[in-house]
Amino acid sequence: MKGHCLCGAVTFQSPVAREIGVCHCGYCRRWSGGPMLAVHCGPDVQFSGSECIEIYASSQWAERAFCKNCGTHLYYKLLATGEYFVPAGAFESTDFELASQIYIDNKPNYYSFANQTPTLTEQQVLEQFAPPGGETAV
Ligand SMILES: [Zn+2]
Ligand SMILES: [Zn+2]
């Protein structure tokens, strides 16, 4: 699957993946301006245009990258596993399904999706994914 940023300076290629996870957490909403809709791509995503990729270390556990030139969000990456979560809108394909929603209890009241998906609360996310020590992997 191929994709690119708004200005075209950064292009990328990912193994085929279909599932979009939505994150309603406050960090993703601040970063994106809305909930983050990201495709779970695994660790094997290749980016070109590295001179235009700016990486922001958003926590001890994860980093977020964007195009320096146009600001397009390129990925959220979990450092422990090297897994990439790439915003669905950056792909050429739209052949995805909304598979899950996390931090559902942090979602503000001014929107909600009609899609019926499994949901996880903040507490459930931390129990399933957070490393011991309890810091959120934002
Ligand atoms: Zn760009
Ligand atoms: Zn989030």
Side-chain angles (χ1 to χ4, degrees), residues 7-44:
C7 75
V10 180
T11 60
F12 58 89
Q13 201 156 1
S14 154
V16 174
R18 289 277 171 269
E19 296 200 343
I20 291 175
V22 179
C23 185
H24 298 287
C25 87
Y27 298 95
C28 285
R29 281 186 290 111
R30 187 165 299 280
W31 193 47
S32 307
M36 183 167 170
L37 279 70
V39 181
H40 295 198
C41 294
D44 301 319

Side-chain angles (χ1 to χ4, degrees), residues 24-26 29 103-108 111 122:
H24 298 287
C25 87
R29 281 186 290 111
Y103 288 85
I104 193 69
D105 52 335
N106 292 7
K107 183 183 76 57
Y111 71 84
E122 178 172 6

Side-chain angles (χ1 to χ4, degrees):
M1 301 197 304
K2 290 180 176 170
H4 58 86
C5 67
L6 195 56
C7 75
V10 180
T11 60
F12 58 89
Q13 201 156 1
S14 154
V16 174
R18 289 277 171 269
E19 296 200 343
I20 291 175
V22 179
C23 185
H24 298 287
C25 87
Y27 298 95
C28 285
R29 281 186 290 111
R30 187 165 299 280
W31 193 47
S32 307
M36 183 167 170
L37 279 70
V39 181
H40 295 198
C41 294
D44 301 319
V45 184
Q46 256 100 51
F47 289 87
S48 63
S50 58
E51 69 282 358
C52 281
I53 299 176
E54 186 73 39
I55 294 170
Y56 171 63
S58 55
S59 76
Q60 253 182 286
W61 320 110
E63 61 190 26
R64 297 172 188 252
F66 57 94
C67 174
K68 267 192 241 185
N69 191 44
C70 68
T72 299
H73 296 160
L74 299 169
Y75 61 80
Y76 170 95
K77 183 185 183 183
L78 275 177
L79 299 177
T81 59
E83 284 175 281
Y84 289 94
F85 300 80
V86 179
F91 285 96
E92 285 164 18
S93 173
T94 55
D95 187 15
F96 301 121
E97 65 171 297
L98 210 65
S100 64
Q101 300 182 62
I102 61 171
Y103 288 85
I104 193 69
D105 52 335
N106 292 7
K107 183 183 76 57
N109 288 326
Y110 56 74
Y111 71 84
S112 60
F113 292 132
N115 308 59
Q116 298 294 314
T117 70
T119 59
L120 291 176
T121 63
E122 178 172 6
Q123 185 62 36
Q124 290 169 323
V125 171
L126 293 178
E127 283 166 6
Q128 288 191 25
F129 303 111
E135 195 186 321
T136 309
V138 294

